[in-house]
Amino acid sequence: MKKKLTTYFAAFAVMAACMVMASCGLVEFETSDNGKLDGYWHLEKVDTLSSGGTADVSQQLIFWSVQGAMLITYSPNISSAVQRCVFHFSHENDTFSIIEPRIFDRVAGDPLVEDVAILAPFGINKLDESFKVEQLTGSKMTLVSENLRLFFKKM
């Protein structure tokens, strides 16, 4: 019983110390004002606007991850060497704009993407592209570019 009480006291002391440090400004917690946009999104379906065609990609592993001011796209299914890219983005009103796409390669300094074909498997057809946010809930997101409508499900 004494050991259990000591464990509870130690846990309480650690939590209290963390709260004191946070309230005094000694520890900063990173926050984001992205709201429902933050998270790990799975691309499920792609509509081609010009032809009216639809592609079900729900069985493919194509992901967008949004946190802070960064977007990371990832797919282990891509046969080329570029399975992951990183972008800066802005989200204002109903517009989601991605800029400065880079190949996720920390050793090489995350080089800029020069060939937009690298981004096509992720539903991105321009090096700097803007999407209209057609739907954004806690579980679903729909983005529309000039050519595509992308349907995502939050993981």
Side-chain angles (χ1 to χ4, degrees), residues 10-155:
F12 176 75
V14 169
M15 287 177 24
C18 289
M19 289 172 42
V20 167
M21 287 190 296
S23 67
C24 293
L26 299 174
V27 176
E28 291 185 33
F29 295 100
E30 184 176 328
T31 59
S32 165
D33 61 352
N34 294 329
K36 295 175 183 173
L37 183 62
D38 271 344
Y40 202 59
W41 296 92
H42 179 226
L43 183 60
E44 303 257 306
K45 185 172 89 168
V46 178
D47 289 350
T48 303
L49 301 177
S50 61
S51 69
T54 297
D56 178 358
V57 294
S58 61
Q59 298 305 308
Q60 297 180 34
L61 302 175
I62 302 171
F63 300 100
W64 287 25
S65 178
V66 178
Q67 183 178 7
M70 303 298 288
L71 164 67
I72 297 175
T73 56
Y74 172 69
S75 179
N77 294 347
I78 295 175
S79 59
S80 70
V82 180
Q83 296 179 337
R84 186 174 291 162
C85 295
V86 62
F87 308 77
H88 288 287
F89 76 87
S90 68
H91 177 221
E92 296 178 23
N93 301 320
D94 65 346
T95 302
F96 181 77
S97 300
I98 57 173
I99 56 171
E100 200 176 287
R102 295 179 172 273
I103 298 169
F104 192 95
D105 183 351
R106 300 293 178 192
V107 174
D110 295 334
L112 284 168
V113 172
E114 295 178 4
D115 181 5
V116 74
I118 291 171
L119 306 176
F122 303 108
I124 300 168
N125 293 311
K126 294 181 179 178
L127 294 177
D128 293 341
E129 186 155 31
S130 292
F131 297 88
K132 179 183 185 303
V133 180
E134 196 170 79
Q135 177 185 29
L136 180 59
T137 69
S139 62
K140 297 200 179 285
M141 175 171 66
T142 306
L143 301 177
V144 181
S145 68
E146 287 180 18
N147 304 316
L148 302 175
R149 178 174 283 115
L150 309 175
F151 295 88
F152 294 87
K153 178 180 170 187
K154 196 171 216 175
M155 301 304 291

Side-chain angles (χ1 to χ4, degrees), residues 2-17:
K2 189 174 183 177
K3 185 176 183 178
K4 192 174 188 180
L5 185 60
T6 304
T7 303
Y8 286 131
F9 179 74
F12 176 75
V14 169
M15 287 177 24

